Amino acid sequence: MNSAQSASQKGDESRGRNPVVRENIEAFAIAIIMALILKFFCVEAFKIPTGSMQPTLIGADRNTLIDRNGREIFDRILVNKFIYDLRPPARWDIIVFQYPLEQSKNYIKRLIGLPGETIEIRDGDVYVDGEIARKPEKVQEALWRRVDAPHPRQPNEPPLFAQTQSWKSRTDDEIRTTSDGGLRLEAKDGTTTMLFDRRILNDYLHGYDSSYGIETRVLEDAYAVGDLRLVLTAQIEDRTGGLTLTLIDREDTFRVFLAGSDSETPSFIDLESSRVDEGAVPLSVETTGTGYEAKPESGRVVLKGLRLPTGQPRRISLAHVDDALELHFEDSLVCRVLLELPPPSEPRRVQRQRASDPSQYGREREVALYGQSGIEIGVTNNRAVLHDGELYRDVYYTRVSSRLHESMGHFEVPEEHYFTLGDNTQNSKDGRQWETYTYRLSGGRQIRGDFVDSGPDENPRAIGLQTQFKDVFGETHVFVHTDIVEGPIHEVAPFIPARFVLGQAFFVFWPLFSPFRMRFLN
């Protein structure tokens, strides 16, 4: 073989290998391009930056939770970035957006107010244009917080009906428990009623797993929560009389009587509210599988055909939330009563007490308690055994105070803007607290930035005779007092421009183990 033939053969071999290499390079380049397209236009992963959405989403800030093995817990989520090209954002969505007052940061909150709406926070609930905003079923399920379960401060909390120190007889009857942690009520002639004698407050730690290492960083005034859900297994032992479940929410009382099979009195729901003067309670009723007769003038709904069987345990759920009462048997909806009531008055302070504040190195300070709420369970002309009790409360949105407002709870959302809140309402920097400083400086400069009055993110910050101030674009400015022509101009800035919304958070993909938190979000 001469040299020309040899060179030709090597060239053919080289050309034979080159397509394979080229195809691999092309495939790798296409994969990178597709990943970038997905990231910028479809789905992107985010790490939760703060604790403002806890316990729904756990953030990786300086108050990061730790598990029982001392490892940090933080959630990573997937965000759908094209969903709002198909539909507008909806109330209660969990959205990711550029923080308007520091646009280099992305925040995650729950969407509350839509363009053109008037939002008001009253007694823990959200009102839109004067009417209460009711949450969809899946959202509400995600926001229930277990009250009676073990949590980081009380990891050895016993079951609800085994907490004998928390139950008090209203009729001076002896509180009897069963060997397996149940509660026994007896009233052969008359009525026996037990009161859960413990304040149901917006405790910061409700909803956290007992194995998480966390403490209340900021101790605030406490509010009684009246949006409650009581779940229990009940078994009556006689055919007469029945079982009564009562939820108390400051200005409202909701009493459900579940009749035995031979009871002369049918099952009913009684609704009492001091929010109506004439006594009649405006309501609408939805039932499944049972007839009813609504009597708004007396606040009673008679449930025809609904009876508790003798000697057979029944799983019962009674919930009052967002001015609606729901009764479930064995996870099936029996009745839903929607109340059409005016907004409640603001809760009044009922008590002050001393409490230890972890943020003040254990020193005690005075804390105010607002409002009253509770649950009662009674039996009439019957005997009942109660097991597997669970008590939940709804998220309680609080107003906040600032230098500009004594109580920030009223918001008028402009067009093309949104209003958000964090699920961790006691420790969330959200639309209730966003404020700006604006300086007009010599030379015609004007700078506007996020106002943070203290802490590691304090802005502006005094450094000797100079002022250091970070603007909304993340650029830091340093100036002296003589540079200031006007300012600082202090304003509230509670809203998010629509163009800053990046997408909807829909899935938690991390952590996978210890603890397992993978799930879809609501």
Side-chain angles (χ1 to χ4, degrees), residues 371-390:
Q372 292 178 321
S373 64
I375 62 172
E376 294 180 359
I377 303 176
V379 64
T380 301
N381 299 331
N382 210 312
R383 296 169 295 166
V385 177
L386 313 175
H387 284 98
D388 302 323
E390 299 172 6

Side-chain angles (χ1 to χ4, degrees), residues 260-482:
S261 56
D262 292 345
S263 173
E264 295 181 359
T265 304
S267 298
F268 63 81
I269 299 173
D270 268 352
L271 312 165
E272 301 174 9
S273 178
S274 60
R275 287 188 268 169
V276 288
D277 297 330
E278 65 277 8
V281 179
L283 54 86
S284 58
V285 183
E286 303 171 5
T287 63
T288 56
T290 183
Y292 73 92
E293 179 184 0
K295 301 178 179 181
E297 67 281 357
S298 63
R300 173 166 289 193
V301 177
V302 178
L303 302 175
K304 300 178 179 180
L306 180 64
R307 301 277 173 163
L308 275 179
T310 305
Q312 299 180 32
R314 283 291 182 267
R315 193 67 174 164
I316 303 168
S317 170
L318 177 64
H320 162 246
V321 62
D322 299 336
D323 279 352
L325 192 73
E326 291 189 356
L327 177 64
H328 287 76
F329 268 33
E330 305 293 346
D331 296 327
S332 296
L333 179 66
V334 173
C335 181
R336 188 170 191 244
V337 182
L338 304 180
L339 307 175
E340 300 162 8
L341 297 169
S345 61
E346 279 302 298
R348 292 174 297 177
R349 186 171 64 211
V350 296
Q351 182 181 338
R352 299 193 75 90
Q353 68 179 30
R354 304 295 294 181
S356 177
D357 186 349
S359 67
Q360 297 296 320
Y361 306 100
R363 286 182 236 159
E364 287 194 343
R365 75 177 183 89
E366 200 171 60
V367 178
L369 302 179
Y370 291 84
Q372 292 178 321
S373 64
I375 62 172
E376 294 180 359
I377 303 176
V379 64
T380 301
N381 299 331
N382 210 312
R383 296 169 295 166
V385 177
L386 313 175
H387 284 98
D388 302 323
E390 299 172 6
L391 181 59
Y392 299 84
R393 70 165 178 89
D394 189 20
V395 59
Y396 188 98
Y397 292 111
T398 56
R399 293 171 172 243
V400 297
S401 299
S402 71
R403 295 184 184 180
L404 296 177
H405 294 274
E406 181 179 347
S407 181
M408 191 69 173
H410 181 93
F411 307 90
E412 296 182 4
V413 187
E415 295 295 336
E416 300 297 324
H417 286 74
Y418 297 101
F419 175 72
T420 62
L421 292 172
D423 287 358
N424 187 3
T425 180
Q426 293 150 296
N427 194 20
S428 170
K429 183 181 179 182
D430 50 41
R432 300 167 301 165
Q433 298 169 298
W434 294 346
E435 300 174 5
T436 63
Y437 262 14
T438 301
Y439 291 94
R440 293 189 176 96
L441 305 178
S442 57
R445 289 186 300 159
Q446 178 172 301
I447 52 176
R448 178 174 178 264
D450 187 14
F451 169 68
V452 183
D453 63 356
S454 62
D457 299 324
E458 181 181 358
N459 193 47
R461 184 187 300 274
I463 303 177
L465 299 177
Q466 296 180 320
T467 296
Q468 178 179 290
F469 185 64
K470 183 186 292 185
D471 66 18
V472 295
F473 303 108
E475 182 179 350
T476 299
H477 304 262
V478 179
F479 48 88
V480 295
H481 180 73
T482 54

